[in-house]
């Protein structure tokens, strides 16, 4: 299949065309679910089928590297209370835990499917999915089993909060997370994550849990420095985390630690090993909190990703275009930086080089915009600009 008449092709490959590797008047050939060729439209090879982009922009599909999709119930009332002045403390997570434990498998599966399809319609072709609303051995394992039906990037987040029944004995809960819960979860997970925050898990508990996950082969991610300053970011760097997420309250030492990971970050096989700062502006929007300082991170040389943090409490959006618009307007990212962070940045945060980029051999995951340029994603906020999505080379929808 040939995608032809592309006015602006964002490739995210190095070389001419700036950080987005933009090519004009381009065409792209898809074969067996992969990008087979990219070049000037006038040199396009023959193909069985053709998509005419009609001068529009074509981008890699969005890579949403942080989402909590396995849950039951909603917390609209909590949102309304927050908008009326109540602060966000993270305590509402337990509300969702109760509803999730009570839900049947098919109810959880239907929610994940609905949100996965909602994200796909908005251009998200890769999405990470966390557990973390079960918090029992059986409920965490089933959450990950269901997540794995929809994503290759599943994350064990048994250490989301200490559930109410363990409130006065958090050491016992950490022991269970590292023992039977991890054993049940690991076969269905690629990653392990911890909410390292006051009111959730302290640095010693977080380090112990992440180390147990690493010992059984899971990659490390951390919810860090969301609600206040703390040790989460530096713990993530210490453990070689693929990503530290939120990064709303950072010290100079935190920024320096992240920047230090981008030096010599390519290992022998060319993979990136830096620790990415994944910013989740939907959370600040939905909790009416100050946004993270993306400009400071970028200027220090830190690799930045954008993700939705889609969850029923603090950020109930699945829209990467919304996050791009917020990042540009509220976090002083340029549109090019925000689009890179929502595609290639997300791929780095998942340590993947087959998505978030359009080059021969990459997955044919791409978006045709209803616009001539990637700039429109921030310039026209709230407007449905995703005309067509291809995932593994297969057209998904046409709106
Ligand atoms: Zn999260």
């Amino acid at each position: 299949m040939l995608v032809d008449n592309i006015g602006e092709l964002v490739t995210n490959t190095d070389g001419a065309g700036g950080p987005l590797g933009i090519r004009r008047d381009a065409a792209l050939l898809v074969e067996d679910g992969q990008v087979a060729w990219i070049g000037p439209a006038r040199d396009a090879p023959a193909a069985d089928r053709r998509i005419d982009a009609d001068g529009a922009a074509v981008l890699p599909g969005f890579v949403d590297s942080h989402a909590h999709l396995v849950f039951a119930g909603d917390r609209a009332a909590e949102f309304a209370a927050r908008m009326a002045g109540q602060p966000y403390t993270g305590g509402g997570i337990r509300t969702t835990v109760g509803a999730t434990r009570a839900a049947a498998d098919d109810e959880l599966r239907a929610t994940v499917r609905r949100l996965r399809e909602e994200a796909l319609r908005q251009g998200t072709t890769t999405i990470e999915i966390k557990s973390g609303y079960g918090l029992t051995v059986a409920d965490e394992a089933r959450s990950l089993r269901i997540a794995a039906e929809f994503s290759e990037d599943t994350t064990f987040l048994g250490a989301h909060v200490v559930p109410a029944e363990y409130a006065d004995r958090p050491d016992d809960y950490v022991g269970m997370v590292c023992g039977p819960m991890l054993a049940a979860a690991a076969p269905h997970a690629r990653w392990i994550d911890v909410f390292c925050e006051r009111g959730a898990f302290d640095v010693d508990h977080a380090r112990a849990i992440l180390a147990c996950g690493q010992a059984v082969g899971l990659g490390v991610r951390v919810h860090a420095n969301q609600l206040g300053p703390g040790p989460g970011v530096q713990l993530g760097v210490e453990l070689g985390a693929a990503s530290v997420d939120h990064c709303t309250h950072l010290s100079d030492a935190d920024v320096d630690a992240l920047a230090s990971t981008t030096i010599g970050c390519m290992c022998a096989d060319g993979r990136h090993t830096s620790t990415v700062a994944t910013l989740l502006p939907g959370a600040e929007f939905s909790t009416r909190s100050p946004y993270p300082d993306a400009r400071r991170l970028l200027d220090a040389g830190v690799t930045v990703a954008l993700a939705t943090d889609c969850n029923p409490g603090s950020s109930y959006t699945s829209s990467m275009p919304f996050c791009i618009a917020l990042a540009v307007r509220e976090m002083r990212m340029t549109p090019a930086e925000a689009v890179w962070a929502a595609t290639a940045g997300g791929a780095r945060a998942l340590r993947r080089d087959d998505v978030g980029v359009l080059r021969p051999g990459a997955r044919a995951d791409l978006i045709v915009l209803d616009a001539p340029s990637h700039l429109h994603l921030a310039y026209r906020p709230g407007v449905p600009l995703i005309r067509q999505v291809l995932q593994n080379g297969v057209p998904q929808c046409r709106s």
Side-chain angles (χ1 to χ4, degrees):
M1 175 156 48
L2 186 71
V3 185
D4 203 0
N5 277 333
I6 302 170
E8 178 190 278
L9 178 66
V10 172
T11 65
N12 288 337
T13 54
D14 295 327
L20 295 183
I22 288 175
R23 304 178 70 131
R24 311 235 172 245
D25 303 318
L28 180 152
L29 186 70
V30 174
E31 254 173 30
D32 301 329
Q34 294 189 337
V35 177
W37 175 89
I38 290 174
R42 62 177 178 277
D43 298 340
D48 303 338
R49 286 180 295 161
R50 180 168 173 265
I51 292 174
D52 184 355
D54 196 22
V58 170
L59 286 72
F62 299 123
V63 179
D64 185 353
S65 60
H66 186 136
H68 307 250
L69 305 188
V70 192
F71 64 86
D74 85 28
R75 282 151 60 191
E78 180 190 314
F79 175 77
R82 226 166 32 235
M83 293 306 106
Q86 282 184 17
Y88 177 70
T89 61
I93 292 169
R94 293 196 181 92
T95 309
T96 300
V97 169
T100 303
R101 287 176 178 176
D105 288 8
D106 280 346
E107 186 183 345
L108 296 178
R109 186 175 287 115
T111 297
V112 178
R113 179 174 293 120
R114 174 175 64 81
L115 292 169
R116 179 67 195 94
E117 289 175 357
E118 183 182 281
L120 188 61
R121 284 196 297 276
Q122 298 171 92
T124 299
T125 47
T126 300
I127 192 165
E128 180 257 22
I129 304 177
K130 300 176 195 297
S131 67
Y133 293 116
L135 310 188
T136 65
V137 172
D139 286 309
E140 284 297 300
R142 75 165 175 152
S143 294
L144 286 162
R145 261 198 322 271
I146 291 167
E149 296 171 19
F150 297 90
S151 176
E152 301 158 54
D153 282 290
T154 52
T155 300
F156 171 45
L157 182 58
H160 200 181
V161 289
V162 176
E165 64 272 21
Y166 281 90
D168 53 1
R169 45 192 184 110
D171 289 346
D172 290 354
Y173 185 67
V174 171
M176 190 188 48
V177 170
C178 291
M181 195 185 276
L182 176 64
H188 313 291
R190 181 174 177 220
W191 303 97
I192 186 166
D193 193 346
V194 172
F195 190 17
C196 182
E197 195 82 40
R198 193 173 303 157
F201 293 87
D202 68 24
V203 68
D204 294 330
H205 282 158
R207 183 185 285 108
I209 291 163
L210 294 172
C212 290
Q214 270 182 318
V216 298
L218 302 184
V220 169
R221 344 184 49 79
V222 188
H223 279 69
N225 301 56
Q226 177 189 4
L227 304 177
V233 164
Q234 294 192 50
L235 175 66
V237 170
E238 171 193 320
L239 296 177
S243 178
V244 289
D245 297 36
H246 285 291
C247 296
T248 310
H249 298 271
L250 298 185
S251 67
D252 288 345
D254 295 330
V255 176
D256 289 348
L258 285 167
S260 73
T261 71
T262 64
I263 299 166
C265 67
M266 303 278 273
C267 66
D269 65 357
R271 287 180 179 275
H272 292 269
T273 56
S274 60
T275 298
V276 174
T278 298
L279 309 183
L280 310 167
E284 279 76 33
F285 177 89
S286 300
T287 59
R288 195 175 274 146
S289 302
Y291 288 91
D293 190 346
R295 189 76 264 141
R296 180 183 178 206
L297 289 163
L298 289 162
D299 290 347
V302 176
T303 305
V304 171
L306 285 170
T308 62
D309 195 16
C310 184
N311 78 83
S314 58
S315 183
Y316 201 5
T317 182
S318 57
S319 171
M320 291 294 278
F322 174 63
C323 294
I324 288 170
L326 284 181
V328 172
R329 173 63 181 81
E330 304 291 343
M331 287 154 52
R332 296 190 297 146
M333 293 175 78
T334 66
E337 287 168 341
V339 166
W340 191 92
T343 50
R348 294 271 178 93
L350 296 173
R351 299 247 162 114
R352 291 181 60 163
D353 55 14
D354 59 331
V355 297
V357 60
L358 293 174
R359 56 161 172 74
R363 274 198 356 195
D365 288 353
L366 56 91
I367 306 165
V368 182
L369 289 189
D370 244 337
S373 162
H374 69 280
L375 296 172
H376 284 232
L377 288 165
Y379 173 48
R380 304 199 67 215
V383 176
L385 290 179
I386 311 301
R387 185 195 300 170
Q388 191 157 36
V389 180
L390 269 66
Q391 190 181 38
N392 281 319
V394 179
Q396 297 295 309
C397 62
R398 186 182 281 275
S399 56

